Amino acid sequence: MDEPELVRRARDGDAAAFGALVEMHQDRVLRLVRGLVPPQDAEDVAQDAFVKAFRKLAEFDGRSRFYTWVYRIASNTAMDWRKRERYRRHAPLPEGPDGEDLLPEDAPGPRSRAERNELARSIDEAVAELSDAHREIVLLREVDGLSYDEIATELGISKGTVESRLFRAREKLREILGEWMDGGGRHDA
Amino acid sequence: MKDDVTTGPAPGSCDRARLLLSLAADGAATPAQDAELRAHAERCAPCRAAALVDRTVAARLRLRADGAASPGFAARVVAAARRAQLAAAENRFLRRTAAAAAVVAAVGAGVIAWSPARRADDPSAPRELARSAVVKPLLVTPSRGGR
């Protein structure tokens, strides 16, 4: 059964069809959510996002791809979760179990574990601070590994817009993470 | 944006290098653009640092995203969706029931309010009921010697 048919059936209340849609997209949605909330909360947040999608299925008009639509719901759900947790804790979110190295071994940057973990948290905060459009495109590129053409198709925008939006999103990240850069200025050749 | 890169910021400038950095990070820079970027980065510490930030952000995001859903995730989602569906249906039912009850109560109140008044005018109505239905004027006597 193809995706539009599954969507149609799920919209009519067919839970099995909805389950098939979840299986189809769960890994990508989880990748997105894991980029925004601590790993121990990611599945709960992804589940909330799918349930919201199920309840809002009548609003899905089929003009965008189903995944793009779910992706936005998941992104908003994760951002709402972040805001709620920050308010509740009055503190930055813990991004991983204590002692875990939050950057890959071979990642560039500071060498001490404490500094690397602090940098990792700063990166998470910086990604969360991006506008929805910038965060979405960075995650589609870096997390999903989509090409410019695939992102353009996914979002219904031109390839040129993909390139310029990614460039601006990265500029914003460099600006936010400036304190981690050696120097941080520019020079005229 | 490749057009922007070729016609945009001046060759050798940091602005141009940052555009090329973004393309290079995605494997979308041409060999000539790669060479130009390398040449710029060799003599520009801030742009080397910018490249470092790009690579670190990408590494962090990929590490966090790693891993598939745990077994049974889809089944749990479907069960939660069903619960939500039932709860929504229950809420709708309760709202409709409450609305219907409100209508019944309003109609009942109207009937009660209307009936005694009618009975009061009706000579055939039982005397007690007719008396109770007549609204007596409330007489307020001004108090004397009050402050």
Side-chain angles (χ1 to χ4, degrees):
Chain A
M1 202 181 303
D2 63 1
E3 188 176 279
E5 178 60 15
L6 286 172
V7 171
R8 196 189 61 71
R9 288 188 182 205
R11 197 185 284 150
D12 290 342
D14 182 341
F18 181 65
L21 285 170
V22 173
E23 278 181 3
M24 216 179 260
H25 299 293
Q26 61 187 19
D27 289 343
R28 282 186 74 190
V29 166
L30 267 166
R31 277 203 295 275
L32 158 75
V33 172
R34 284 198 193 106
L36 296 170
V37 310
Q40 61 272 24
D41 296 301
E43 286 207 354
D44 286 344
V45 173
Q47 176 174 310
D48 280 354
F50 276 118
V51 170
K52 276 184 196 163
F54 183 66
R55 293 177 63 183
K56 289 181 171 180
L57 261 176
E59 296 169 25
F60 176 61
D61 56 13
R63 274 186 294 183
S64 63
R65 292 174 62 173
F66 178 73
Y67 174 70
T68 313
W69 183 73
V70 169
Y71 189 98
R72 285 188 178 142
I73 292 175
S75 175
N76 290 338
T77 305
M79 291 307 292
D80 288 346
W81 186 93
R82 284 187 75 89
K83 281 181 209 151
R84 220 172 33 243
E85 284 299 295
R86 285 189 69 125
Y87 178 77
R88 196 173 67 80
R89 294 166 196 249
H90 300 288
L93 300 173
E95 302 290 356
D98 288 344
E100 181 195 0
D101 197 343
L102 301 172
L103 283 174
E105 284 292 313
D106 58 348
R111 298 296 355 143
S112 87
R113 168 166 278 187
E115 270 188 323
R116 288 167 71 79
N117 287 354
E118 199 186 328
L119 171 57
R121 287 195 181 91
S122 299
I123 291 170
D124 296 339
E125 289 293 319
V127 171
E129 269 184 49
L130 292 176
S131 69
D132 290 346
H134 283 166
R135 188 171 51 252
E136 176 177 59
I137 206 152
V138 164
L139 294 174
L140 284 172
R141 172 69 205 132
E142 305 292 8
V143 175
D144 283 331
L146 299 191
S147 68
Y148 287 175
D149 285 327
E150 287 168 328
I151 296 173
T153 306
E154 194 84 64
L155 300 181
I157 56 180
S158 72
K159 194 175 159 188
T161 304
V162 172
E163 291 178 7
S164 60
R165 201 176 284 176
L166 261 173
F167 164 70
R168 287 182 211 298
R170 287 186 174 127
E171 278 286 276
K172 186 74 188 166
L173 287 170
R174 291 173 197 143
E175 187 188 310
I176 299 170
L177 295 164
E179 65 180 283
W180 292 97
M181 294 163 67
D182 299 325
R186 287 165 186 247
H187 85 276
D188 291 320
Chain B
M1 188 153 60
K2 274 176 197 160
D3 288 344
D4 293 341
V5 171
T6 49
T7 60
S13 69
C14 287
D15 284 338
R16 181 174 168 84
R18 304 287 165 100
L19 283 167
L20 295 178
L21 262 182
S22 190
L23 291 177
D26 301 327
T30 64
Q33 287 170 338
D34 267 333
E36 186 187 335
L37 180 59
R38 270 199 305 277
H40 178 91
E42 269 174 25
R43 59 181 192 280
C44 179
C47 284
R48 282 199 301 277
L52 190 72
V53 169
D54 286 358
R55 290 206 305 278
T56 312
V57 168
R60 167 65 180 155
L61 287 174
R62 283 174 199 150
L63 178 77
R64 278 195 74 155
D66 203 26
S70 63
F73 175 76
R76 289 197 298 279
V77 170
V78 170
R82 275 187 169 143
R83 281 196 301 275
Q85 200 177 25
L86 283 176
E90 212 170 84
N91 279 343
R92 274 197 303 277
F93 172 76
L94 286 175
R95 273 202 306 273
R96 282 179 192 153
T97 307
V103 169
V104 169
V107 169
V111 167
I112 288 167
W114 174 79
S115 302
R118 212 178 114 88
R119 285 191 196 111
D121 297 337
D122 183 358
S124 65
R127 188 166 288 182
E128 286 302 311
L129 268 177
R131 257 208 303 273
S132 69
V134 174
V135 177
K136 292 177 182 168
L138 182 65
L139 296 175
V140 178
T141 311
S143 63
R144 289 179 186 175
R147 290 180 196 179

